[in-house]
Amino acid sequence: MGEGTMEPSDRELLQRLAGGDREALAPLMEGHYRRLYRIVVSYLRDPDEALDGVQETFVKAYCHAGTWDGRSEPGAWLTRIAVNEAIDRYRRGKKRASSFSPLVSEPPGDGNDDPARALRRREDAERVGRALATLSERQRAVFVLRHQEEMTLDEIGRVLGLRLGTVKSCLHRAVHALRERLGGAR
Amino acid sequence: MIGHGRWRREVVDELLGLLAPDRSDALGRHLEGCGTCREEREVLQRTLRLAADPAPRTAPPIDLAAMLARVDAEIDRRVAGPARVRPRLVALWLPAAMAAALVLFIARPRSTPPETPDAGVSAVALRQMERTVNREQTARYLQEAQGVLLSVASTLPRCERVNGRRVGPEAEKSRELLARRRLLVDAEAEHLAMARPVLEDVDRALGEVASLDRCAGAAELRALARRIAEERLLLKIGLMARELQG
C-alpha cells in the first residue's frame, strides 16, 4: 500500500469549514460545483441566474457551516441550500416577470443542427419552460431532483424536509401537470 | 379489476424508475391488453423526454477556478462589512482637503524668517501633519475604491440588455474617484511609497470599471471580478488602508 495523505472526506471538509478554515472551501466546491449547478440550472433554466445561485449557495455554506448538525450528509445539506436558493430566485423572477426572461434558455445544440431543427429545439425549450412555470415551487423542486438528478425519493425528502408520501404525491402531480401542457407535443 | 387511474399512477412510477419489479411485471401484462393505458404511457413518456431534453446547458459556463474567485470575492465583501460606496462618504474628502489646505496656508513661508528654535520644530510638526493628512486621504480613497470593486465583484441588478447587469453607478463613482485621486493623492510622495503598487492596481481596476457601459455584459463583469479576486486586490486594499491609518 502506498504512502500518501488520503483526501479529506466531505464531512471533514465541512467540519473544518465550520471551524473557520476557509481553505476547506475549495475542495468542497470541487466535489459539488457541477452537480449543484446542474440542479439549479434545471430549476431556473437560466445559466446566468444559475451561476449567481450556485455562488450564493457556496457563500451561504461558508457563512453558515456552523449550523450543520453533522447528522445529514454534506451533499444533501448543500443541495438543500442550493434548492432553497433556486426557489428564492425563481420567486423573485416571477415578481419581476415583466422584465425577466420566462426562465427559458437556449438549448444546447450539437453543432450540426440545421436551422429548422434549431428552431424546433428552441420552441420545445420555450414550451417546457412555460409548462414548468405552472408547477408549484415544491413540485418543480421534486420533479427536477427526481427526473434530472435521479435522486431517490428518500434523498429528496431529506433535502426538502418532506415526508416520503408528500414527495411522491408532489411528483405525480408535477408529471400530470406537465402531461396536460406537453402531452400533445410530438 | 384495477381501474385505469391506478394503472396510470403505476405507469408514472414505472417511467420514473420507482415501480417495484413485481408491479412492473403486472403493468407490462396489463399494457399488452389495454390500448388506452398503452397510449397514455406513450404520452407520458414523450412528456418526460421533452421535459428532460432540450434542457439548459448543464455544464457550468465558467470553470471551478472562476466560481471560486467569485465566491471568495463575495465572502471578502461580507466579511469586510458595509464598505459600500456611500455618496455621503465622498463629502469627507472635502473637510480633509480643506483641513490640509488650512494647514498649508497657516504654514506658508512668511517674509520674516523665524529666528527662534521653536519655528524649526513647528516646520517638522507641520510636515508630519501633512503626511498624516495625505495618508488619511489615501486610505479613504482606497476604502472608497474597495467599495466600488466589491460592488462590481458581487451580484449586480439586471438591466435591459440580455445577460446585462446595471453598473452605471459604479462606473460613475470610479470616474469620480479617479478624478479626486489625481487632485488629492500624490502617489510619488516618499511617505506613500509603500502604497504605490496597490494604488497602481486600484487605478487600473477603477479605470476598467469607469470604461464600462451603463448596462454591461455579464461575461465582461465576470472577467473583471475574476481578475480582482485572482490579484487578491480587495484584501490588499484593506491591509494597505489599515497600514496607512496606523
Side-chain angles (χ1 to χ4, degrees):
Chain A
M1 184 175 289
E3 290 184 357
T5 54
M6 298 216 2
E7 288 192 2
S9 67
D10 281 350
R11 285 189 159 270
E12 286 167 341
L13 290 170
L14 199 42
Q15 280 164 355
R16 280 168 52 190
L17 210 63
D21 181 2
R22 194 159 158 178
E23 298 300 318
L25 185 58
L28 193 65
M29 284 178 62
E30 187 177 6
H32 296 277
Y33 171 43
R34 295 177 75 89
R35 181 181 65 84
L36 294 181
Y37 176 82
R38 204 168 53 233
I39 290 171
V40 177
V41 81
S42 295
Y43 193 94
L44 294 174
R45 300 182 77 80
D46 182 321
D48 276 338
E49 277 291 315
L51 282 178
D52 290 345
V54 170
Q55 173 189 312
E56 185 62 19
T57 295
F58 286 119
V59 171
K60 282 182 175 170
Y62 173 79
C63 294
H64 301 294
T67 66
W68 177 58
D69 59 11
R71 287 201 300 266
S72 57
E73 285 303 312
W77 185 75
L78 288 169
T79 303
R80 187 168 199 171
I81 298 174
V83 170
N84 286 338
E85 184 62 28
I87 291 174
D88 286 344
R89 286 177 181 273
Y90 179 68
R91 274 186 202 141
R92 289 198 293 269
K94 282 204 299 187
K95 279 181 186 165
R96 58 174 193 269
S98 60
S99 60
F100 194 71
S101 67
L103 300 179
V104 169
S105 69
E106 196 68 31
D110 59 8
N112 295 322
D113 275 356
D114 60 36
R117 193 199 292 188
L119 178 62
R120 178 63 183 273
R121 287 172 70 87
R122 180 163 179 82
E123 287 172 350
D124 285 345
E126 288 176 357
R127 198 161 45 243
V128 170
R130 281 194 295 273
L132 286 171
T134 65
L135 301 181
S136 72
E137 291 157 3
R138 182 187 285 181
Q139 287 170 358
R140 191 181 174 107
V142 169
F143 181 78
V144 164
L145 291 177
R146 176 62 208 163
H147 194 50
Q148 305 279 1
E149 285 301 301
E150 298 181 340
M151 290 173 71
T152 66
L153 300 191
D154 279 335
E155 287 170 338
I156 295 172
R158 280 197 293 275
V159 165
L160 298 180
L162 300 174
R163 291 180 304 161
L164 186 61
T166 306
V167 173
K168 198 163 182 181
S169 65
C170 262
L171 191 55
H172 274 254
R173 279 199 286 271
V175 170
H176 287 302
L178 291 174
R179 182 245 184 269
E180 292 304 310
R181 283 166 180 78
L182 300 174
R186 290 198 176 269
Chain B
M1 174 97 176
I2 299 176
H4 290 300
R6 167 67 183 271
W7 287 120
R8 197 184 189 208
R9 284 193 293 278
E10 297 214 338
V11 162
V12 172
D13 282 346
E14 183 247 337
L15 289 171
L16 291 173
L18 299 173
L19 201 60
D22 59 332
R23 291 308 308 163
S24 186
D25 292 340
L27 176 63
R29 288 192 294 276
H30 172 75
L31 290 175
E32 282 174 8
C34 179
T36 302
C37 288
R38 212 167 36 244
E39 188 179 333
E40 179 63 12
R41 186 184 183 280
E42 283 173 13
V43 172
L44 284 166
Q45 190 174 42
R46 201 165 53 234
T47 298
L48 291 175
R49 194 180 299 129
L50 191 59
D53 180 37
R57 194 174 298 278
T58 52
I62 64 173
D63 62 17
L64 176 64
M67 176 51 72
L68 182 56
R70 284 175 57 151
V71 172
D72 265 343
E74 183 60 20
I75 291 174
D76 285 342
R77 185 186 73 82
R78 295 190 192 184
V79 167
R84 296 182 184 278
V85 174
R86 294 271 188 266
R88 66 175 184 275
L89 285 179
V90 173
L92 291 176
W93 281 101
L94 292 177
M98 288 171 65
L102 184 61
V103 165
L104 292 172
F105 177 76
I106 292 172
R108 71 189 187 282
R110 299 183 190 263
S111 55
T112 306
E115 293 177 359
T116 63
D118 288 346
V121 172
S122 295
V124 169
L126 282 169
R127 274 198 297 277
Q128 185 59 41
M129 197 180 304
E130 272 179 54
R131 288 190 191 121
T132 302
V133 169
N134 282 347
R135 289 165 68 100
E136 183 63 34
Q137 287 170 342
T138 305
R140 286 182 180 166
Y141 163 74
L142 288 175
Q143 285 166 338
E144 295 214 29
Q146 185 185 51
V148 172
L149 298 176
L150 277 168
S151 186
V152 169
S154 59
T155 305
L156 291 167
R158 286 179 172 253
C159 50
E160 65 278 6
R161 172 179 169 178
V162 174
N163 296 329
R165 301 288 174 155
R166 184 154 46 88
V167 74
E170 284 76 13
E172 191 180 327
K173 181 52 65 178
S174 294
R175 288 189 285 273
E176 188 180 325
L177 282 173
L178 287 169
R180 290 174 186 272
R181 141 102 167 87
R182 284 188 282 274
L183 280 175
L184 295 171
V185 177
D186 180 11
E188 299 307 314
E190 190 183 333
H191 56 277
L192 293 179
M194 82 289 204
R196 216 166 285 149
V198 177
L199 284 169
E200 286 171 1
D201 289 343
V202 168
D203 289 351
R204 188 171 54 247
L206 286 182
E208 286 192 53
V209 177
S211 66
L212 290 171
D213 289 335
R214 182 182 55 82
C215 183
E220 195 179 0
L221 287 169
R222 279 199 295 267
L224 177 55
R226 183 176 181 171
R227 284 195 293 280
I228 290 170
E230 285 174 350
E231 292 172 12
R232 295 281 191 190
L233 187 53
L234 300 175
L235 184 62
K236 288 178 189 172
I237 290 173
L239 291 172
M240 183 52 64
R242 280 197 284 275
E243 175 79 21
L244 290 168
Q245 288 172 321

